[in-house]
Tab-separated table of all heavy atoms in Angstrom:
chain	number	residue	atom	x	y	z
B	1153	HIS	N	-11.431	7.581	-4.731
B	1153	HIS	CA	-11.224	8.861	-5.393
B	1153	HIS	C	-11.218	9.941	-4.333
B	1153	HIS	O	-12.082	9.944	-3.451
B	1153	HIS	CB	-12.344	9.130	-6.393
B	1153	HIS	CG	-12.270	8.255	-7.608
B	1153	HIS	ND1	-11.286	8.373	-8.554
B	1153	HIS	CD2	-13.063	7.234	-8.011
B	1153	HIS	CE1	-11.471	7.453	-9.500
B	1153	HIS	NE2	-12.532	6.763	-9.192
B	1178	PRO	N	-26.972	6.331	5.040
B	1178	PRO	CA	-25.902	7.214	4.556
B	1178	PRO	C	-24.514	6.814	5.040
B	1178	PRO	O	-23.521	7.131	4.395
B	1178	PRO	CB	-26.305	8.588	5.129
B	1178	PRO	CG	-27.770	8.475	5.383
B	1178	PRO	CD	-28.021	7.047	5.756
B	1189	GLY	N	-11.984	13.807	10.145
B	1189	GLY	CA	-11.482	12.473	9.864
B	1189	GLY	C	-11.305	11.600	11.080
B	1189	GLY	O	-10.874	10.452	10.966
B	1192	LEU	N	-14.164	8.994	10.350
B	1192	LEU	CA	-14.138	8.370	9.022
B	1192	LEU	C	-12.843	7.597	8.785
B	1192	LEU	O	-12.867	6.445	8.365
B	1192	LEU	CB	-14.342	9.439	7.942
B	1192	LEU	CG	-14.311	8.903	6.503
B	1192	LEU	CD1	-15.419	7.896	6.283
B	1192	LEU	CD2	-14.420	10.049	5.503
B	1200	VAL	N	-14.458	-0.831	8.134
B	1200	VAL	CA	-15.875	-0.705	8.465
B	1200	VAL	C	-16.577	0.205	7.482
B	1200	VAL	O	-17.714	-0.004	7.104
B	1200	VAL	CB	-16.040	-0.198	9.920
B	1200	VAL	CG1	-17.483	0.152	10.234
B	1200	VAL	CG2	-15.506	-1.237	10.896
B	1203	PRO	N	-15.781	3.874	1.484
B	1203	PRO	CA	-16.289	4.733	0.402
B	1203	PRO	C	-15.423	4.636	-0.836
B	1203	PRO	O	-14.221	4.431	-0.752
B	1203	PRO	CB	-16.196	6.136	1.030
B	1203	PRO	CG	-15.101	6.015	2.039
B	1203	PRO	CD	-15.196	4.617	2.583
B	1216	LYS	N	-18.769	30.515	5.662
B	1216	LYS	CA	-19.871	30.665	6.605
B	1216	LYS	C	-20.176	29.337	7.306
B	1216	LYS	O	-20.650	29.319	8.439
B	1216	LYS	CB	-21.113	31.167	5.850
B	1216	LYS	CG	-22.226	31.657	6.758
B	1216	LYS	CD	-23.305	32.359	5.918
B	1216	LYS	CE	-24.605	32.539	6.699
B	1216	LYS	NZ	-24.433	33.375	7.885
B	1234	ARG	N	-14.726	23.869	14.437
B	1234	ARG	CA	-14.094	22.761	15.161
B	1234	ARG	C	-14.573	22.748	16.611
B	1234	ARG	O	-14.925	23.780	17.183
B	1234	ARG	CB	-12.579	22.901	15.139
B	1234	ARG	CG	-12.003	23.098	13.749
B	1234	ARG	CD	-12.095	21.865	12.873
B	1234	ARG	NE	-11.702	22.193	11.501
B	1234	ARG	CZ	-11.659	21.334	10.496
B	1234	ARG	NH1	-12.007	20.070	10.694
B	1234	ARG	NH2	-11.305	21.728	9.300
B	1249	PRO	N	-22.698	28.021	28.638
B	1249	PRO	CA	-21.698	27.168	29.313
B	1249	PRO	C	-21.966	25.688	29.135
B	1249	PRO	O	-21.019	24.893	29.152
B	1249	PRO	CB	-21.785	27.602	30.777
B	1249	PRO	CG	-23.115	28.274	30.920
B	1249	PRO	CD	-23.394	28.909	29.589
B	1254	SER	N	-19.431	20.920	27.815
B	1254	SER	CA	-19.576	19.541	27.315
B	1254	SER	C	-18.548	19.244	26.235
B	1254	SER	O	-18.228	18.085	25.972
B	1254	SER	CB	-20.991	19.301	26.808
B	1254	SER	OG	-21.234	20.088	25.667
B	1258	ALA	N	-13.921	16.769	26.003
B	1258	ALA	CA	-14.243	15.576	25.239
B	1258	ALA	C	-13.020	15.088	24.472
B	1258	ALA	O	-12.203	15.878	24.005
B	1258	ALA	CB	-15.367	15.890	24.246
B	1261	ALA	N	-7.300	17.008	23.204
B	1261	ALA	CA	-7.122	18.321	22.590
B	1261	ALA	C	-6.866	18.194	21.088
B	1261	ALA	O	-7.371	18.996	20.306
B	1261	ALA	CB	-5.965	19.048	23.266
B	1271	GLY	N	-19.603	16.786	12.322
B	1271	GLY	CA	-19.253	15.396	12.539
B	1271	GLY	C	-19.637	14.940	13.936
B	1271	GLY	O	-20.020	13.792	14.154
B	1274	LEU	N	-23.070	13.831	13.987
B	1274	LEU	CA	-23.307	12.576	13.292
B	1274	LEU	C	-22.890	11.355	14.100
B	1274	LEU	O	-23.115	10.230	13.673
B	1274	LEU	CB	-22.541	12.571	11.957
B	1274	LEU	CG	-23.101	13.502	10.890
B	1274	LEU	CD1	-22.186	13.522	9.692
B	1274	LEU	CD2	-24.496	13.081	10.480
B	1276	ARG	N	-23.222	8.537	16.862
B	1276	ARG	CA	-24.430	7.782	17.195
B	1276	ARG	C	-25.147	8.395	18.383
B	1276	ARG	O	-26.364	8.447	18.421
B	1276	ARG	CB	-24.064	6.332	17.501
B	1276	ARG	CG	-23.488	5.582	16.336
B	1276	ARG	CD	-24.515	5.356	15.269
B	1276	ARG	NE	-23.905	4.741	14.084
B	1276	ARG	CZ	-24.510	4.676	12.904
B	1276	ARG	NH1	-25.693	5.157	12.731
B	1276	ARG	NH2	-23.890	4.091	11.901
B	1288	PRO	N	-33.287	23.740	19.327
B	1288	PRO	CA	-32.102	23.526	18.503
B	1288	PRO	C	-32.520	23.186	17.077
B	1288	PRO	O	-33.425	22.390	16.863
B	1288	PRO	CB	-31.429	22.330	19.189
B	1288	PRO	CG	-32.532	21.591	19.844
B	1288	PRO	CD	-33.559	22.618	20.229
B	1296	SER	N	-31.681	23.452	0.732
B	1296	SER	CA	-32.870	24.270	0.994
B	1296	SER	C	-32.673	25.048	2.269
B	1296	SER	O	-31.787	24.762	3.066
B	1296	SER	CB	-34.105	23.385	1.134
B	1296	SER	OG	-34.098	22.754	2.405
B	1297	GLY	N	-33.514	26.033	2.477
B	1297	GLY	CA	-33.401	26.822	3.682
B	1297	GLY	C	-34.244	26.282	4.815
B	1297	GLY	O	-34.367	26.900	5.858
B	1298	GLU	N	-34.831	25.094	4.613
B	1298	GLU	CA	-35.731	24.548	5.632
B	1298	GLU	C	-34.941	24.102	6.868
B	1298	GLU	O	-34.063	23.275	6.775
B	1298	GLU	CB	-36.469	23.320	5.066
B	1298	GLU	CG	-37.535	23.673	4.034
B	1298	GLU	CD	-38.613	24.567	4.633
B	1298	GLU	OE1	-39.122	24.240	5.712
B	1298	GLU	OE2	-38.921	25.591	4.017
B	1301	ASP	N	-35.593	20.209	13.030
B	1301	ASP	CA	-35.389	20.135	14.470
B	1301	ASP	C	-34.238	19.188	14.770
B	1301	ASP	O	-34.209	18.053	14.325
B	1301	ASP	CB	-36.678	19.639	15.150
B	1301	ASP	CG	-36.613	19.817	16.665
B	1301	ASP	OD1	-35.568	19.461	17.271
B	1301	ASP	OD2	-37.580	20.329	17.237
B	1304	ASP	N	-34.693	15.636	16.040
B	1304	ASP	CA	-35.180	14.570	15.191
B	1304	ASP	C	-34.320	13.350	15.412
B	1304	ASP	O	-33.128	13.352	15.139
B	1304	ASP	CB	-35.103	15.008	13.716
B	1304	ASP	CG	-35.726	13.987	12.786
B	1304	ASP	OD1	-35.693	12.785	13.081
B	1304	ASP	OD2	-36.224	14.415	11.742
B	1310	ARG	N	-30.491	12.879	9.974
B	1310	ARG	CA	-29.376	13.766	10.344
B	1310	ARG	C	-28.248	13.607	9.342
B	1310	ARG	O	-27.672	14.554	8.862
B	1310	ARG	CB	-28.846	13.431	11.743
B	1310	ARG	CG	-29.680	13.909	12.871
B	1310	ARG	CD	-28.784	14.149	14.100
B	1310	ARG	NE	-28.077	12.963	14.523
B	1310	ARG	CZ	-28.584	12.037	15.332
B	1310	ARG	NH1	-29.796	12.134	15.780
B	1310	ARG	NH2	-27.864	10.986	15.671
B	1313	ASN	N	-28.399	15.246	5.859
B	1313	ASN	CA	-28.424	16.691	5.726
B	1313	ASN	C	-27.080	17.344	5.915
B	1313	ASN	O	-26.987	18.550	5.947
B	1313	ASN	CB	-29.421	17.296	6.720
B	1313	ASN	CG	-30.831	17.150	6.195
B	1313	ASN	OD1	-31.051	17.335	5.008
B	1313	ASN	ND2	-31.755	16.786	7.047
B	1314	VAL	N	-26.021	16.600	6.026
B	1314	VAL	CA	-24.694	17.220	6.151
B	1314	VAL	C	-24.324	17.873	4.820
B	1314	VAL	O	-24.374	17.233	3.800
B	1314	VAL	CB	-23.637	16.182	6.533
B	1314	VAL	CG1	-22.246	16.795	6.453
B	1314	VAL	CG2	-23.895	15.690	7.934
Side-chain angles (χ1 to χ4, degrees):
Chain B
H1153 289 290
L1192 179 61
V1200 171
K1216 193 170 164 62
R1234 308 290 172 180
S1254 66
L1274 289 174
R1276 296 291 174 194
S1296 76
E1298 288 298 312
D1301 192 314
D1304 186 329
R1310 284 208 301 275
N1313 281 319
V1314 171

